[in-house]
Amino acid sequence: MIGGFSMKNLYQKFIYLIPSIIIFLITLSVTLKSSWPMGWDIFYHIHLSKVYMTNGLTFFDPIYNAPGTIINYPPVFHLAILVLGYVLRMDLFDVARLIQPFLAALVALSVTVVASRLYEDKYAGIFAGLILFSGSIAMRLGLALPENMALIFLPLSIYFFYEFFKDDKIIASFISGCLTGWSHLYILPQRSVWFLQSPSSPLVW
């Protein structure tokens, strides 16, 4: 033991990272094989980022499906791409390529930690993180999408919701609500956006 920190504790913390490291390396290897981000969805999301860059925060896309259409996504993900592009001085497509392995790894880490806490078994969490990327869903989780960014927070919100009922901790309920709300800032249902922008909505002046 060195400074009250044993190698056993270090191993127990590192073992949670195994699925994330594997997924990160797999996604990184695929990312490096192409000069473009994976999937076709990201092209639309980068288009929306450029719409916000040109027109500011708006509910209307004046270019797509001319003469324009309503934007069905919240702007958080697209603004995040813009900020990263500005800070890193990178093209938005390069930013999308950059975040692909990190998003995949963070989703795996979130699922691993939550599963290990729910089942009280670190190996259950490890297998949960690996199984997450073993099916057809793996093709989507390696993409730079707002849904994948939301999946980082959604398992955590479920865990804190469970903790609230288990130990009656009000703070756990509060954290669960905040994480759920934050995750929905990336994937607000289209019907909600349509309601906010429809002429009959009470929020439209």
Side-chain angles (χ1 to χ4, degrees):
M1 182 177 293
I2 302 176
F5 191 80
S6 66
M7 291 299 295
K8 183 178 180 181
N9 291 334
L10 181 62
Y11 169 76
Q12 290 178 344
K13 293 181 180 299
F14 174 77
I15 201 171
Y16 291 114
L17 296 176
I18 292 177
S20 296
I21 293 174
I22 294 174
I23 300 306
F24 179 87
L25 293 176
I26 292 174
T27 310
L28 180 63
S29 66
V30 177
T31 299
L32 294 176
K33 290 181 179 179
S34 174
S35 59
W36 295 95
M38 296 185 290
W40 62 268
D41 303 67
I42 188 60
F43 288 86
Y44 176 67
H45 292 297
I46 289 178
H47 162 71
L48 291 182
S49 295
K50 292 181 178 180
V51 169
Y52 292 129
M53 182 190 301
T54 305
N55 301 319
L57 286 176
T58 177
F59 284 125
F60 187 75
D61 179 357
I63 300 174
Y64 184 76
N65 196 19
T69 185
I70 293 174
I71 297 176
N72 295 321
Y73 283 90
V76 178
F77 177 78
H78 313 95
L79 294 179
I81 292 179
L82 279 178
V83 171
L84 286 174
Y86 177 79
V87 172
L88 300 176
R89 296 294 190 269
M90 294 175 63
D91 181 77
L92 298 185
F93 287 101
D94 292 329
V95 171
R97 291 180 66 245
L98 175 66
I99 66 176
Q100 282 176 171
F102 291 99
L103 282 179
L106 288 174
V107 172
L109 180 61
S110 178
V111 171
T112 300
V113 172
V114 170
S116 64
R117 294 294 181 89
L118 291 177
Y119 290 99
E120 298 181 351
D121 184 347
K122 58 179 177 291
Y123 295 106
I126 292 172
F127 285 114
L130 292 175
I131 291 174
L132 180 69
F133 284 83
S134 63
S136 59
I137 192 175
M139 298 178 64
R140 298 286 296 176
L141 290 175
L143 307 180
L145 297 174
E147 294 90 338
N148 292 339
M149 193 170 286
L151 283 177
I152 299 172
F153 305 100
L154 193 58
L156 296 172
S157 69
I158 294 173
Y159 170 71
F160 281 105
F161 190 66
Y162 163 79
E163 282 291 305
F164 167 68
F165 282 100
K166 179 182 176 182
D167 300 324
D168 196 24
K169 295 180 180 178
I170 297 298
I171 186 64
S173 175
F174 176 76
I175 295 174
S176 174
C178 290
L179 290 172
T180 302
W182 181 251
S183 65
H184 278 66
L185 286 177
Y186 297 98
I187 52 172
L188 187 69
Q190 293 183 359
R191 291 182 181 177
S192 299
V193 179
W194 290 340
F195 169 76
L196 292 176
Q197 301 170 39
S198 65
S200 60
S201 172
L203 300 181
V204 177
W205 295 88

